[in-house]
Amino acid sequence: MDKEDDLTRTFKYAKEFYLKRLGLIIVFSVPFILAFLIPILVPAPTYLALGGVFLRTGSLPELSLLDIVITALAYAFGMFIMGDTIVNINIIIRSKRTLISVKHEVLNAMGTYAMRIFYISTMFLLIMFILQLLTYDNPLQSWIYPLSILALSFLLFFVPPAVVIDNSDTPTAIRRSVAMAVQNPHFVLLWTVLLLLSVSVVKIGADFVFSSPFSGFFVLLVNCLLILPFFTVLQTQMYMEKYPLAR
């Protein structure tokens, strides 16, 4: 019952805050669009799926060295913009509970919070890339790779709020994220299920109304401006449940 109460309360607070600050959140979420579009514009085998941009890693050997460098830089730039956007939404949340200037914090966050999240995201991608190389031609790769991504994503789920809400450095943010995820796996599970359901509903509706490729870009737009911002708010509210006074 306690877990059900936690989930209900967390979702209620996230929804109320999101609707109350929706205009400001949408403005701060516009860079999400740029973060997703950058990988599409580079000469890489990328594709849209469920409003996200994915890379066909199996096609990487066909790229030239210059194409690989450009692709890596584009993905790095996109990851930094995405991290900075998540940080800015978290700053809006933190401003509700502390007497801070959102404009001042946003300007300072790019060189601090955003860089910390960028370091962790880059480390995550490097680990996944190395794992993919080590398991190349291994018949178990189809199991090892996705399970590894799932495990790391689970453990690092609360890194963004740990960085911004608690002003944690990179190692501390990872430790706090792991501790929070292990102690509250129901939060991560609920967040994941709700996100998949939300994106799937939007995708089905878009495919019914628009033809390809317009449906894919419509889903991307809705994800960037509405869905991802809400789930960023929900993720942070889940993290703040660790503090009794924040409930």
Side-chain angles (χ1 to χ4, degrees):
M1 182 63 69
D2 289 341
K3 288 185 178 182
E4 292 180 4
D5 292 342
D6 289 347
L7 294 174
T8 302
R9 179 179 57 249
T10 302
F11 188 82
K12 176 185 175 183
Y13 286 172
K15 182 184 69 174
E16 291 177 350
F17 179 85
Y18 174 78
L19 294 176
K20 184 178 180 180
R21 308 298 295 273
L22 182 59
L24 185 60
I25 290 173
I26 288 178
V27 170
F28 276 82
S29 299
V30 170
F32 269 138
I33 301 174
L34 180 60
F36 280 106
L37 286 179
I38 288 175
I40 296 178
L41 299 177
V42 299
T46 56
Y47 62 97
L48 283 173
L50 287 179
V53 181
F54 299 89
L55 176 68
R56 293 186 178 90
T57 53
S59 300
L60 288 179
E62 302 173 6
L63 300 178
S64 66
L65 179 59
L66 179 60
D67 288 340
I68 292 176
V69 171
I70 294 175
T71 300
L73 291 175
Y75 268 81
F77 190 44
M79 282 194 306
F80 179 80
I81 294 176
M82 180 169 290
D84 187 54
T85 307
I86 292 173
V87 165
N88 292 339
I89 295 175
N90 273 273
I91 288 174
I92 297 174
I93 299 170
R94 198 175 74 175
S95 69
K96 177 185 176 182
R97 303 180 184 274
T98 57
L99 298 176
I100 63 170
S101 168
V102 173
K103 181 179 179 180
H104 176 73
E105 284 290 305
V106 166
L107 292 175
N108 290 335
M110 185 174 293
T112 54
Y113 302 144
M115 286 304 300
R116 293 172 194 171
I117 293 177
F118 175 73
Y119 292 150
I120 297 172
S121 300
T122 303
M123 180 179 63
F124 174 86
L125 289 180
L126 287 176
I127 291 174
M128 290 297 96
F129 182 69
I130 292 172
L131 181 63
Q132 193 171 46
L133 290 178
L134 292 177
T135 58
Y136 186 74
D137 276 344
N138 189 314
L140 296 178
Q141 186 190 53
S142 59
W143 287 94
I144 296 174
Y145 189 68
L147 289 176
S148 299
I149 292 178
L150 183 63
L152 277 178
S153 299
F154 171 79
L155 295 174
L156 300 179
F157 178 78
F158 290 106
V159 160
V163 168
V164 181
I165 302 302
D166 287 339
N167 192 21
S168 305
D169 57 27
T170 300
T172 304
I174 294 175
R175 288 198 300 270
R176 286 176 172 168
S177 176
V178 171
M180 186 66 183
V182 171
Q183 293 169 11
N184 301 276
H186 58 293
F187 279 151
V188 184
L189 178 62
L190 174 70
W191 190 93
T192 304
V193 171
L194 288 178
L195 177 61
L196 288 175
L197 287 175
S198 300
V199 175
S200 298
V201 169
V202 173
K203 173 62 175 173
I204 293 172
D207 287 344
F208 182 76
V209 176
F210 302 100
S211 59
S212 180
F214 299 106
S215 63
F217 285 102
F218 176 79
V219 176
L220 179 63
L221 189 65
V222 173
N223 282 354
C224 291
L225 297 182
L226 297 175
I227 295 179
L228 284 179
F230 171 75
F231 280 92
T232 299
V233 173
L234 180 61
Q235 178 189 48
T236 302
Q237 187 59 53
M238 287 175 170
Y239 180 80
M240 294 177 69
E241 281 291 308
K242 66 187 285 190
Y243 299 111
L245 293 179
R247 298 178 179 178

